[in-house]
Amino acid sequence: MVDFTCVACRIELYCFTNRRRPDYGGMMKSLQGQLLIATPQLLDPNFSRSLVLIVQHGEEGALGLVLNRPLSLSVKEACEQVLDTEDCAVEGSMHQGGPCEGPLMVVHNHDTAGQTEIVPGLYFTTEREQIEWLLRNSHIATKFFVGYAGWGSGQLENELESTSWLLAPATPTRVFEGDEDQWTRVIREVTMGRWLDPKDLPDDPSMN
C-alpha cells in the first residue's frame, strides 16, 4: 500500500533534486465550490495570475487548490519514481496546489470515489483507496495536487475586501480544461476581458 500522507514532501524533494521545481461584519456565506481568480493587482508569486478552487470554507478557515500550476513531473512519473508503484494509468501532470504542505489530493468527477462533493459534478479526496482506484482509471477526469492554499479564520474574507480576487462559480469545464491558460480564459469570461485581452494587462497596475 502507498502511504500518501507525506507525498508532498517526497515529490518536492524529487523535483528539487532533479531541478524540476516549478471584514464582512461576520462570517460570510461559504465559498465552497467557488473559484478565486487572481486580479493583476495580486503580485504574491504564490498566487499571481492563479485560479484557485475553494474546496472547503467555514468558520475555521478555508482550503483551496491552485488549478493552473502544473509541475513538469507527471502523475505516472510520481507513481514510479516517488510513490514506488507502477499501478498508474493517468498521464497528466502533478499540480502544485499551493504553498502549504499536505497529503496527495485529487479533484475529479466520479461520485463513488469522492470523499467530499465540492459542487455537483466535482469531488475531492485524500483517501488512499479512492486515490489508488483513480490512478488505475484514466477515463476519469482528474487533477492531482501536492500542496494546498490555506486561510485561517476570517483571513480569506479580509482578502476579498481588497482588489486581490474575483469570484466565479466552479464548473467541471473551468476546473479540468487547460492549465496555464485557465486564468486567461476564466477572467475573460467574468470581466471586460471579452473585449480586452487579460494577457495585455500589466503585472504592475500602476503601469498604464
Side-chain angles (χ1 to χ4, degrees):
M1 287 287 189
V2 177
D3 180 6
F4 292 113
T5 58
C6 296
V7 167
C9 301
R10 291 154 64 187
I11 287 180
E12 287 180 1
L13 176 61
Y14 176 84
C15 291
F16 177 80
T17 302
N18 292 274
R19 298 188 182 276
R20 302 169 68 184
R21 292 184 66 89
D23 176 41
Y24 283 85
M27 187 63 197
M28 70 187 303
K29 181 180 178 181
S30 176
L31 294 175
Q32 178 175 312
Q34 292 288 307
L35 295 176
L36 298 183
I37 309 161
T39 66
Q41 288 85 351
L42 181 54
L43 303 181
D44 181 341
N46 289 313
F47 297 108
S48 176
R49 301 202 176 204
S50 66
L51 189 66
V52 182
L53 172 64
I54 300 299
V55 175
Q56 298 172 351
H57 180 221
E59 292 182 357
E60 296 182 355
L63 182 151
L65 295 169
V66 178
L67 298 174
N68 58 333
R69 293 285 192 274
L71 298 169
S72 57
L73 182 69
S74 71
V75 176
K76 182 167 286 190
E77 288 174 322
C79 288
E80 295 173 352
Q81 302 176 29
V82 180
L83 304 179
D84 298 322
T85 178
E86 296 183 359
D87 193 10
C88 175
V90 177
E91 299 287 348
S93 298
M94 296 293 300
H95 289 74
Q96 184 64 51
C100 304
E101 291 186 0
L104 183 62
M105 305 179 188
V106 190
V107 172
H108 57 90
N109 68 346
H110 198 279
D111 56 350
T112 59
Q115 180 181 355
T116 301
E117 183 180 50
I118 305 171
V119 293
L122 280 177
Y123 303 89
F124 169 80
T125 189
T126 61
E127 293 288 339
R128 182 180 65 194
E129 291 184 1
Q130 294 174 339
I131 292 176
E132 290 175 341
W133 185 87
L134 290 166
L135 287 169
R136 295 192 296 268
N137 289 273
S138 59
H139 65 284
I140 305 298
T142 57
K143 279 197 171 184
F144 288 77
F145 299 88
V146 291
Y148 67 95
W151 291 266
S153 178
Q155 186 178 1
L156 180 57
E157 290 85 342
N158 290 336
E159 288 189 18
L160 288 171
E161 289 184 336
S162 70
T163 58
S164 297
W165 300 103
L166 299 173
L167 288 172
T171 65
T173 298
R174 285 174 171 172
V175 169
F176 295 119
E177 287 192 3
D179 274 319
E180 293 94 335
D181 65 337
Q182 281 180 295
W183 179 85
T184 300
R185 175 166 49 83
V186 176
I187 202 170
R188 181 181 290 126
E189 290 176 6
V190 300
T191 69
M192 292 290 286
R194 71 191 73 181
W195 295 285
L196 177 65
D197 191 339
K199 291 180 179 178
D200 295 332
L201 295 173
D203 288 331
D204 183 350
S206 67
M207 302 294 293
N208 53 50

